[in-house]
Amino acid sequence: MKNRTNVRWLTQLALLAAILLVMNYTPLGYLQIGPLSASLLTVPVAIGAMTMDPLAGAILGGIFGATSFIQMVEGKSAMGAALFSVNPFGAFVVSFVARVLMGLCAALIFNALRKAMPKKEKLCCVIGAICTPVLNTVFFMGFLVLFFYNCDYVQNLAQTLGATNAFMFIVLLVGVQAVIEWLICGVVASAVTVPVRKYLKLN
């Protein structure tokens, strides 16, 4: 039984990791809404965190973060390339460590919700699904401000946005796009997680 469980765990992890990678390197990972591009990459992380365990959440978050850091190094993002040139270690924390913490904490929060509300599985899934992209924004922007707020690139960006302090900078930078990402992940991840968890319980 233990071997069967381990195989199922590894199979689930591999499947979600593959989905995450496909989404990251294709337009499937982003949804264009007018001028905004909302990321859907937190969806596989949320599903893994809620249907598996904190370790899986951390691993999937790490895969997400690794691809993000690689794109920074390759200069595929103007902002990412600028941050990497200023402080490579800070860029690694912002892109990789933030995503590992996102997956880990999302799973821990979901487990805590299930213990607090054992008869409200669907509600727990919805809240857990929304928490994942929220945590992604919080950790990413928190580390961004911690490591880069005083550098010329971010200060110029803050002036362009009209931000006079770090909090206003975060609000103006993430804006409506972050809220859209939170809602999309909340709907999609919870819609997938509820039947998957039901199936896993029956098998």
Side-chain angles (χ1 to χ4, degrees), residues 46-188:
I47 294 171
M50 294 189 290
T51 59
M52 300 176 71
D53 53 33
L55 176 59
I59 291 173
L60 291 168
I63 294 171
F64 176 13
T67 59
S68 179
F69 182 67
I70 291 171
Q71 290 177 348
M72 276 189 171
V73 175
E74 293 176 343
K76 292 185 177 181
S77 163
M79 183 177 183
L83 297 181
F84 183 77
S85 66
V86 172
N87 183 346
F89 175 75
F92 177 78
V93 174
V94 167
S95 59
F96 180 79
V97 176
R99 272 55 186 268
V100 172
L101 290 174
M102 168 193 67
L104 175 64
C105 292
L108 293 175
I109 290 173
F110 177 71
N111 289 342
L113 288 170
R114 285 183 57 243
K115 289 181 180 179
M117 300 183 291
K119 296 182 179 180
K120 297 183 178 179
E121 179 96 353
K122 291 183 180 179
L123 179 59
C124 292
C125 289
V126 172
I127 297 174
I130 294 174
C131 279
T132 307
V134 171
L135 289 168
N136 182 53
T137 301
V138 169
F139 285 126
F140 181 89
M141 292 305 301
F143 285 132
L144 179 67
V145 168
L146 178 64
F147 284 98
F148 296 102
Y149 185 67
N150 293 319
C151 76
D152 291 339
Y153 177 84
V154 173
Q155 282 299 305
N156 290 334
L157 183 58
Q159 289 179 7
T160 301
L161 294 171
T164 56
N165 55 60
F167 178 75
M168 187 178 293
F169 168 71
I170 293 173
V171 172
L172 292 175
L173 186 63
V174 299
V176 178
Q177 180 177 341
V179 177
I180 293 173
E181 291 176 0
W182 301 347
L183 293 175
I184 291 173
C185 185
V187 172
V188 177

Side-chain angles (χ1 to χ4, degrees), residues 9 88 142 200:
W9 189 90
L200 293 174

Side-chain angles (χ1 to χ4, degrees), residues 16 42-52 60 132 188-190 192-193 196:
L16 288 169
T42 53
V43 172
V45 181
I47 294 171
M50 294 189 290
T51 59
M52 300 176 71
L60 291 168
T132 307
V188 177
S190 59
V192 174
T193 299
V196 169

